Amino acid sequence: GLKAWYSLDNNSGGTTIDATGNNLDLDILGCSLTNDRNGNTNSAFSFNGTNNYLIRQNFPQPGTKDFVISLWYQRSVSGGGGPLCNYGDTYNQPRSCWLPADPTVLYAFALNGSGNPMAIIAGADNGNNAWHHAVFVRNDNDFYLYLDGVLQPGTTNSNNGWGAEYNLTIGSIATTYYFGGKIDDVGIWVDHGNNFSACDVMRLYRAYEYTDPSDQFVDTGSNATFSIENNSAVDFQWQVNSGTGW
């Protein structure tokens, strides 16, 4: 399930708070607060591409379990890139979500202990200085990348999992490589990859454009009325018994 969620707008004493209650807060090292993708002030972090990052020491290991990483990012300049999210202590250990300088490519890749790539997935954001949503999914030995809600093509090699407790960093790899731009709303799920569907990805991508209806309890034979504020392209339907019929 959901292991950590960083909205990056809840910060205290040099840390940004994990909203799940799992106490996996991140230390803030040089990053500055900025507007998020919806224009809310002090609700995302800006990274200078030189020495800024967020870190959680000894993040609990996913091991061989499936996992999902979701985040929003914006390049600082067209052609800017760098590591968005990384799990590992040295350049030969990282399991990373990497944004190359080439704006036509976005890589998600994992490296084994010898530094050999285990997965490379390519997508294009065109370097247009807009906010983009990326979701990286590991399901068994398969890696997937969704960019702005769309599944991207990629390649996969054998994977032995993430077997030790390493540091989790946002915006850097092992204090060696750095991302230049903005990052917001980072979520990490463990043991969840095979249960994470394209609908789940679209829900994360479109979440800020609609509000869920509230639960209602009515007497048998009475009517229940549901409404939703929807500025997205998502369609909604209601079922009496989910998965079994109307």
Side-chain angles (χ1 to χ4, degrees), residues 80-129:
L84 297 171
C85 181
N86 176 69
Y87 183 74
D89 293 336
T90 71
Y91 186 63
N92 283 338
Q93 291 175 335
R95 285 78 172 166
S96 304
C97 311
W98 181 277
L99 186 68
D102 182 351
T104 64
V105 179
L106 189 153
Y107 290 151
F109 69 87
L111 302 181
N112 61 23
S114 300
N116 297 317
M118 294 189 291
I120 301 175
I121 306 172
D125 66 16
N126 298 318
N128 57 7
N129 294 328

Side-chain angles (χ1 to χ4, degrees), residues 142-186:
D142 296 326
F143 284 77
Y144 305 96
L145 165 65
Y146 291 85
L147 184 60
D148 294 333
V150 179
L151 181 64
Q152 304 297 308
T155 61
T156 302
N157 298 305
S158 61
N159 179 10
N160 294 321
W162 297 1
E165 283 195 352
Y166 294 122
N167 295 336
L168 172 73
T169 53
I170 309 297
S172 79
I173 288 182
T175 64
T176 302
Y177 297 91
Y178 298 91
F179 169 70
K182 300 177 182 179
I183 295 177
D184 191 21
D185 285 345
V186 181

Side-chain angles (χ1 to χ4, degrees), residues 45-109:
F45 274 106
S46 178
F47 301 78
N48 64 6
T50 303
N51 57 9
N52 292 175
Y53 60 100
L54 306 171
I55 185 169
R56 170 67 194 191
Q57 302 282 345
N58 298 323
F59 191 88
Q61 58 169 315
T64 58
K65 297 178 181 178
D66 299 334
F67 63 86
V68 177
I69 299 172
S70 169
L71 56 82
W72 286 84
Y73 73 89
Q74 181 188 43
R75 297 174 186 266
S76 58
V77 294
S78 180
L84 297 171
C85 181
N86 176 69
Y87 183 74
D89 293 336
T90 71
Y91 186 63
N92 283 338
Q93 291 175 335
R95 285 78 172 166
S96 304
C97 311
W98 181 277
L99 186 68
D102 182 351
T104 64
V105 179
L106 189 153
Y107 290 151
F109 69 87

